[in-house]
Amino acid sequence: MTENDPSAHDPAAPRHPETGRQPAQGGWAGSPYGEQAQPESGGTPQYSEPSYHAVTGADPSYGAQSANPWSAQGAQPPSGQTQQQSVYPPPNPYGQPGTSVYNAPAAPQPKRSSGKLLAGVALVALLVGGIAGGAVGYLTGGTSGPASNALDAPKPAQQTGNAPAGSVEAVAQKLSPSVVELQVSGQQGAGEGSGFVISTDGYILTNNHVVEVAANGGQIQAVFQDGKKAAAKVVGRDPTTDIAVVKVSGVSNLTPVEIGRSDDLRVGQSVVAIGSPFELAGTVTSGIVSSLHRPVRAGGSSGDQTTVMDAVQTDAAINPGNSGGPLANMSGQVIGINSAIYSPQSASGGQGQGASEGGNVGIGFAIPIDQARRTADTIIKTGQAVQTYIGAQVKDAPQGGAELGAITAGSPAEKAGLKAGDIVTKIDDRPIDSADTLVAAVRTRAPDEKATFTLSDGRTVEVTLGGQPVQPN
């Protein structure tokens, strides 16, 4: 789908007095969704596809010519390389904030014949004001007490009580000692993200895209709330679910988080996010769960079905550097790992550019903690993650649902009797409207779990889900 030509302007439109450029026509100037030109009469408006941008400070490179979909804002390029993109939006081409795009119109000159009348009206207004002021002063004079000044009042008593239970303040006090900033570096770049402690002996849960740049010979440093620093190593990681476990050395008696559950979340319930956006460690934001079971490709337009996650959507402010940090309920229990944000295409229409310039627009995505907990436990015990699968290729069906393609021999799909061309419309009670939804629904379940697939022809098939080791790239 193409976008309207942003360079097509009305030649008669006024131009900027210094740059000579014309303002966008019909666009939402300054909107994170870019400029949207109004269609001509009888035309159809065209929209650009969104992308999803990882919220990390890490900057691993996937090639010299293409932008990393997990590219960090604020990440430093490797030695000898040149920074390709700014972390901030481009300057306003129409001038500094507060200045007008157009020349200010000259002030109209009053007609001579009305000058005396205008002056007379002004005089009357001043006189009325003076009379009214005098009257008020007369009526109140002698009845007012001495002037009071807030600066002379004593300070109120210092806060001494604990934060109210169930408040954002209470959640922040409980979780902040367990949240760390992860500073990573490797041959392909450097950056930062977040993580949280899950054991007293130093295991930390985070996103794969936060630490993958340092997975092969790089360095990771964990910075704790009290300023202490410790070196960390990757224990294991799973790119398919964007989950990784690292372990710090030389520290003890750490404070682990309390892990909640994500299978009983409700849309509208309050949540709190903690992390290090733009290297601002210990930042706390709050919001609500704005949607559940949102299929999101963690790599945006560059991602594929191997990166689909069944995300918890939230409007809590999440920005680059929040990746890997906890999303918690109001009891201070972690219910998700902040991983990605909605990133509209840039005005120029390039998704890569839009991803690298992404910031909070009120739509963030977190990995459900039930899935992350299972993956992390497997990584710690075996050093390797296990992916749930059915063994079939899948694509969107034209009439809705997920159409199965080639079936792997000996796979759970073949054992259950599924065939190429079958269209899955439901898994258990969850409607399946696309291929990504099917992948996300399978990923949330554990290997060896049974699931009932409903097909478009009304048949139901029970599938025992399989598990296979994940080989990190």
Side-chain angles (χ1 to χ4, degrees):
M1 185 176 292
T2 60
E3 296 190 41
N4 295 332
D5 183 3
S7 64
H9 294 282
D10 182 3
R15 296 177 177 270
H16 189 278
E18 295 180 1
T19 67
R21 298 182 61 179
Q22 296 174 317
Q25 298 180 2
W28 290 356
S31 166
Y33 295 97
E35 299 175 352
Q36 295 179 326
Q38 300 295 325
E40 298 180 0
S41 177
T44 303
Q46 300 192 18
Y47 304 91
S48 59
E49 295 295 327
S51 64
Y52 299 96
H53 175 264
V55 286
T56 180
D59 189 18
S61 173
Y62 287 91
Q65 302 300 322
S66 60
N68 178 1
W70 294 112
S71 176
Q73 296 193 18
Q76 298 300 319
S79 177
Q81 295 188 13
T82 304
Q83 185 74 26
Q84 297 296 320
Q85 297 176 335
S86 171
V87 299
Y88 299 106
N92 178 6
Y94 297 115
Q96 297 298 320
T99 62
S100 173
V101 174
Y102 307 103
N103 288 328
Q109 297 298 324
K111 296 182 180 180
R112 292 183 180 274
S113 58
S114 60
K116 294 183 177 180
L117 176 61
L118 291 175
V121 171
L123 179 60
V124 171
L126 290 172
L127 290 175
V128 170
I131 295 172
V136 171
Y138 175 79
L139 292 175
T140 59
T143 61
S144 61
S148 61
N149 191 322
L151 300 178
D152 297 330
K155 292 182 179 179
Q158 191 173 18
Q159 299 183 64
T160 57
N162 294 327
S167 66
V168 175
E169 181 185 0
V171 175
Q173 288 182 359
K174 179 179 180 178
L175 273 182
S176 291
S178 305
V179 181
V180 300
E181 178 185 6
L182 296 176
Q183 300 172 347
V184 299
S185 61
Q187 293 181 350
Q188 295 180 329
E192 58 88 35
S194 305
F196 52 93
V197 177
I198 56 175
S199 71
T200 57
D201 58 347
Y203 284 106
I204 293 174
L205 189 55
T206 184
N207 283 145
N208 171 69
H209 73 262
V210 170
V211 300
E212 65 180 345
V213 69
N216 299 311
Q219 295 181 338
I220 305 174
Q221 182 173 248
V223 183
F224 294 87
Q225 182 196 32
D226 58 5
K228 292 181 180 179
K229 299 180 180 180
K233 296 291 185 182
V234 175
V235 177
R237 57 194 184 91
D238 180 7
T240 66
T241 58
D242 195 26
I243 293 170
V245 176
V246 302
K247 188 176 183 182
V248 294
S249 57
V251 294
S252 59
N253 297 323
L254 298 179
T255 303
V257 300
E258 180 182 357
I259 296 179
R261 56 189 303 167
S262 52
D263 60 353
D264 63 351
L265 292 175
R266 297 182 299 274
V267 173
Q269 76 175 83
S270 297
V271 289
V272 174
I274 305 180
S276 305
F278 301 109
E279 301 184 32
L280 301 174
T283 296
V284 178
T285 57
S286 64
I288 62 169
V289 173
S290 54
S291 186
L292 292 168
H293 305 298
R294 183 74 75 192
V296 173
R297 295 194 181 196
S301 62
S302 300
D304 56 29
Q305 287 178 345
T306 63
T307 65
V308 174
M309 60 179 173
D310 195 43
V312 177
Q313 181 178 307
T314 179
D315 70 346
I318 297 174
N319 285 287
N322 271 116
S323 272
L327 186 69
N329 60 24
M330 301 313 292
S331 296
Q333 301 168 330
V334 178
I335 51 86
I337 304 176
N338 298 317
S339 180
I341 56 177
Y342 177 87
S343 182
Q345 287 185 343
S346 64
S348 63
Q351 286 201 1
Q353 183 176 352
S356 66
E357 295 177 356
N360 174 59
V361 295
I363 303 177
F365 303 102
I367 302 167
I369 196 61
D370 292 349
Q371 179 179 357
R373 181 176 192 164
R374 183 176 65 249
T375 301
D377 186 58
T378 304
I379 288 175
I380 291 173
K381 290 178 178 177
T382 68
Q384 191 172 34
V386 174
Q387 178 191 79
T388 307
Y389 81 112
I390 62 171
Q393 295 181 359
V394 61
K395 65 179 181 179
D396 293 342
Q399 65 271 41
E403 181 177 346
L404 301 183
I407 306 294
T408 303
S411 67
E414 184 188 55
K415 292 177 181 179
L418 293 172
K419 306 292 185 184
D422 285 342
I423 298 175
V424 181
T425 58
K426 186 182 292 186
I427 295 182
D428 292 333
D429 294 328
R430 178 173 179 174
I432 302 299
D433 57 1
S434 69
D436 281 3
T437 304
L438 185 148
V439 175
V442 170
R443 291 276 170 77
T444 59
R445 290 162 167 79
D448 299 325
E449 186 176 330
K450 297 183 183 299
T452 301
F453 284 44
T454 301
L455 307 181
S456 59
D457 58 8
R459 290 183 295 133
T460 58
V461 178
E462 185 177 74
V463 181
T464 301
L465 304 176
Q468 58 186 2
V470 176
Q471 299 293 337
N473 49 8

